[in-house]
Amino acid sequence: MNEQPAYRADLRIDVDAIRHNVAVLSGSARESGARTMVVVKSDGYGHGAMTVARAALESGADALGVAAIDEALRLREAGITAPVLCWLYAHGDDFAPAVAADVELSASSVDCLERIAAAARRVGRTARVHLKIDTGLHRNGCPEDEWPALVSAAVRAQADGDVRVVAVWSHLACADEVGHPSIDRQAARFQRAYERARAAGLDPIRHLANSAAVLTRPDLHFEMVRPGIAVYGLDPVPQHGDHGLRPAMTFRSSVTMTKRVEPGESVSYGQTWTAERAANLALVPVGYADGVPRTLSGRLEVWLAGKRRPVVGRVCMDQIVVHCGDDVVREGEEVVLFGPGDRGEPTAAEWADELGTIHYEVVTGMYRPRVTRTAVDVPVAAEAL
């Protein structure tokens, strides 16, 4: 009976890289006198929220951020006691479990704030609230003309003991386009909103800087920064220079079969590729059901047996075929579809460029039912922190 390969389709998560990246980002924030909230929404951008949360808190993070209430509650259930902010809700979400679990909540409207306050009264706790101002992204966030009413409602709710306003915050639209004029416009609107809150008697901290702004705009660090994608080693502003980030995710598989084809033979559906000369082929058991986009057919390369090799023919639901020329490769040999790039293997950023998207989308979409995820935890050296 043949031994099964160690992995059919696996995401290797380098926890040491996450620690390193958080140390870099939180170190930059500390130079500005700011704390660091690490964003672990969407299951840690596909890397595993619990793994990332623990590594981040060990390496300089002060708080965590998520989108959904259930994401925040899972962190609490896993024993995470650090501050956790949640900011995006479905209609009718019950805030009571979050308040009871000491999850901090964002409010972008008077109605939302009143629902949080009502939940706080039900559970007998004071809710910790971040007021979000829309400074120009125009997603969630309070419109400028409604901000005075939200601030007034927050002052009343705080006086009643239902909430404590701990922060004013917003999100940048174009921070990854260094020098974009919208950044300063948003910063000015943000400052006006903060000053309005202070004038009303509130004493919040501020957080505005996402990954790109952490790396390029120390003047916008304020009291807290909020990095996301950079935590995972994917640079949002590579045009700004090398920031020393290390990609944490490697997508890998194994050769499951090899064969040799003769000239004139074609490969895969539609027979879009035909061998011009005899060649060795390696079958790899991953496909578009496992996160390999079919649109990369004819453009995909993998790292196998010490070099990049092209994938030939169409990407199938469950498998791809790698052209090995005259090289002999073994069944069970590792195949890297993307990784940090240290050995010359493709990267998630290269996939994104080929697909006309961003590396955020690539990594967050990788964890699927047939894909395992293996966290490799090698403690970072103390001098790197």
Side-chain angles (χ1 to χ4, degrees), residues 122-159:
R122 290 201 305 275
V123 301
R125 298 192 64 159
T126 298
R128 293 171 61 84
V129 172
H130 297 229
L131 301 180
K132 187 173 186 183
I133 176 69
D134 181 2
T135 55
L137 186 59
H138 298 303
R139 300 189 310 186
N140 70 332
C142 182
E144 279 192 285
D145 61 345
E146 297 176 17
W147 184 250
L150 178 57
V151 169
S152 296
V155 170
R156 293 193 298 271
Q158 183 160 287

Side-chain angles (χ1 to χ4, degrees), residues 83-327:
V84 177
L85 170 64
C86 172
W87 57 74
L88 189 61
Y89 321 116
H91 180 72
D93 269 356
D94 183 3
F95 294 117
V99 176
D102 198 28
V103 171
E104 301 181 4
L105 295 164
S106 175
S108 296
S109 69
V110 172
D111 176 71
C112 180
L113 180 70
E114 290 177 345
R115 289 170 52 212
I116 293 171
R121 290 192 295 272
R122 290 201 305 275
V123 301
R125 298 192 64 159
T126 298
R128 293 171 61 84
V129 172
H130 297 229
L131 301 180
K132 187 173 186 183
I133 176 69
D134 181 2
T135 55
L137 186 59
H138 298 303
R139 300 189 310 186
N140 70 332
C142 182
E144 279 192 285
D145 61 345
E146 297 176 17
W147 184 250
L150 178 57
V151 169
S152 296
V155 170
R156 293 193 298 271
Q158 183 160 287
D160 291 340
D162 296 328
V163 309
R164 181 185 170 201
V165 176
V166 297
V168 168
W169 74 296
S170 191
H171 195 49
L172 295 167
C174 301
D176 56 345
E177 300 178 44
V178 181
H180 195 285
S182 70
I183 301 171
D184 287 337
R185 286 198 301 270
Q186 285 194 257
R189 291 173 179 174
F190 183 67
Q191 185 63 23
R192 289 197 298 270
Y194 171 71
E195 290 171 357
R196 181 74 182 239
R198 294 275 298 178
L202 300 175
D203 186 27
I205 67 167
R206 296 164 289 176
H207 53 99
L208 176 66
N210 56 5
S211 289
V214 173
L215 296 168
T216 64
R217 292 294 299 263
D219 58 315
L220 301 183
H221 286 181
F222 301 122
E223 291 78 41
M224 182 176 281
V225 299
R226 206 175 57 248
I229 196 66
V231 168
Y232 307 94
L234 300 175
D235 198 329
V237 281
Q239 71 276 21
H240 188 259
D242 183 1
H243 299 107
L245 303 175
R246 289 164 45 191
M249 181 184 286
T250 296
F251 181 35
R252 58 188 185 167
S253 185
S254 304
V255 175
T256 192
M257 181 180 182
T258 63
K259 64 178 59 178
R260 189 165 180 83
V261 294
E262 298 302 319
E265 295 295 329
S266 300
V267 170
S268 196
Y269 291 122
Q271 297 190 329
T272 58
W273 181 87
T274 300
E276 295 181 357
R277 46 180 286 188
N280 294 325
L281 302 179
L283 183 66
V284 182
V286 291
Y288 56 78
D290 309 296
V292 185
R294 189 173 182 271
T295 51
L296 286 182
S297 298
R299 297 182 286 161
L300 182 63
E301 294 183 324
V302 301
W303 183 262
L304 169 58
K307 65 174 68 172
R308 280 196 187 217
R309 303 177 189 273
V311 172
V312 294
R314 286 184 181 155
V315 172
C316 304
M317 184 184 295
D318 313 300
Q319 49 199 301
I320 56 175
V321 178
V322 180
H323 189 293
C324 300
D326 289 325
D327 294 342

Side-chain angles (χ1 to χ4, degrees), residues 14-24 54-56 58-59 231 377-380 385:
D14 183 350
V15 182
D16 182 32
I18 292 169
R19 289 195 184 99
H20 166 81
N21 298 332
V22 173
V24 169
R54 292 190 177 101
E58 291 167 1
S59 308
V231 168
D377 190 352
V378 180
V380 68
L385 294 176

